[in-house]
Amino acid sequence: PEFPPEMSLAEVRARVEDVCRKHPVGSDLLFCAFYSAINSHRKASVCTPFPTDLFWQPDSYLGAEARAKDFEEARARMDEMPSVRDIANGALAHVSHGTIKLAGWITESSNLTGKLRIAPESEVASLLAKEGNWPPARPEQHPNFIIGTSSEPSTEAERIAFHGSAGENLHSILRCGLLNLSGTTLQRNGSAFGQGIYLSTALGVGYNFCSPAKHAWPNSQFGPCASFLF
């Protein structure tokens, strides 16, 4: 975890509560992403990074000192995790120590928590309209949430491009970025135009590669069938 190891459990809980109060959108998205990843049948790859320091078991195959990721314990702790709103109101006082530590890891181990925010539709409409992407061609492509970062906009000439992905990939994408996995066992789609990371300037094309996570965090404000388009 990124919080100092000498912090007491009460201090970790207080910090998580403060983060959830100040940054509810970023916190919710990170909890939602971890829940979908830890419940995926591909959790060994999509649940990266993983808090091995918190949830591990001896790996007899690699030796006594080796640690294997304890996915089952992490999943149990996420099942106990209160909603972001309830965490902000003190609900972590009624959960296990492991759940508090996991909440600390999720909110503190990413530099995105305080940068993610709900962006007004007007903020992106003018940008997307230039490429003919606004309003979306089909009603189902219209976003319920537009999440932006607090970083300063680039002054360089640029174009908007889209990347669609399965919901269970959200955790690793938010933490590690888009990775070129062409030609590996982790490649999920074809490579008709060669190896690389595929993006499109057409919103509809990117949307076609989106799919909701099979397991959505029931306490998330984003709902049970959220798809994410980058």
Side-chain angles (χ1 to χ4, degrees):
E2 295 297 317
F3 46 83
E6 66 273 10
M7 286 183 65
S8 69
L9 202 64
E11 289 173 320
V12 173
R13 193 184 86 198
R15 182 176 290 196
V16 174
E17 291 172 354
D18 185 57
V19 169
C20 287
R21 278 193 293 268
K22 292 179 178 177
H23 311 294
V25 175
S27 299
D28 195 316
L29 193 66
L30 293 174
F31 281 121
C32 174
F34 186 80
Y35 183 94
S36 295
I38 197 68
N39 282 283
S40 169
H41 70 282
R42 297 194 296 122
K43 56 185 174 291
S45 58
V46 299
C47 199
T48 301
F50 179 85
T52 310
D53 287 345
L54 298 179
F55 307 110
W56 63 277
Q57 51 191 355
D59 191 325
S60 56
Y61 180 78
L62 296 177
E65 299 299 320
R67 293 183 174 186
K69 300 174 181 178
D70 191 343
F71 292 115
E72 293 304 318
E73 181 61 21
R75 182 187 292 120
R77 300 287 63 78
M78 273 308 301
D79 286 342
E80 188 184 34
M81 192 71 68
S83 69
V84 168
R85 176 181 293 181
D86 288 342
I87 290 175
N89 291 323
L92 288 182
H94 309 293
V95 300
S96 67
H97 292 180
T99 300
I100 296 173
K101 292 178 180 179
L102 177 57
W105 181 85
I106 290 174
T107 55
E108 294 287 342
S109 64
S110 172
N111 62 3
L112 285 173
T113 312
K115 295 180 181 179
L116 297 170
R117 62 184 175 82
I118 296 291
E121 186 172 304
S122 58
E123 188 173 300
V124 298
S126 58
L127 289 174
L128 299 184
K130 294 177 182 178
E131 303 284 350
N133 285 308
W134 201 265
R138 303 200 306 268
E140 66 269 21
Q141 295 176 358
H142 198 286
N144 297 99
F145 298 90
I146 300 173
I147 301 175
T149 68
S150 57
S151 58
E152 291 295 322
S154 172
T155 57
E156 301 287 333
E158 60 184 24
R159 297 186 69 182
I160 304 296
F162 304 92
H163 178 85
S165 190
E168 62 189 7
N169 296 330
L170 181 63
H171 173 72
S172 61
I173 291 176
L174 289 176
R175 305 293 183 130
C176 306
L178 294 174
L179 302 177
N180 182 6
L181 301 175
S182 299
T184 74
T185 57
L186 300 179
Q187 179 178 329
R188 304 304 297 171
N189 292 296
S191 53
F193 299 99
Q195 296 188 355
I197 299 171
Y198 282 48
L199 301 100
S200 175
T201 55
L203 183 148
V205 173
Y207 181 85
N208 287 338
F209 288 89
C210 293
S211 60
K214 291 183 173 61
H215 303 278
W217 188 39
N219 293 329
S220 173
Q221 65 174 310
F222 302 117
C225 298
S227 293
F228 300 93
L229 179 66
F230 297 89

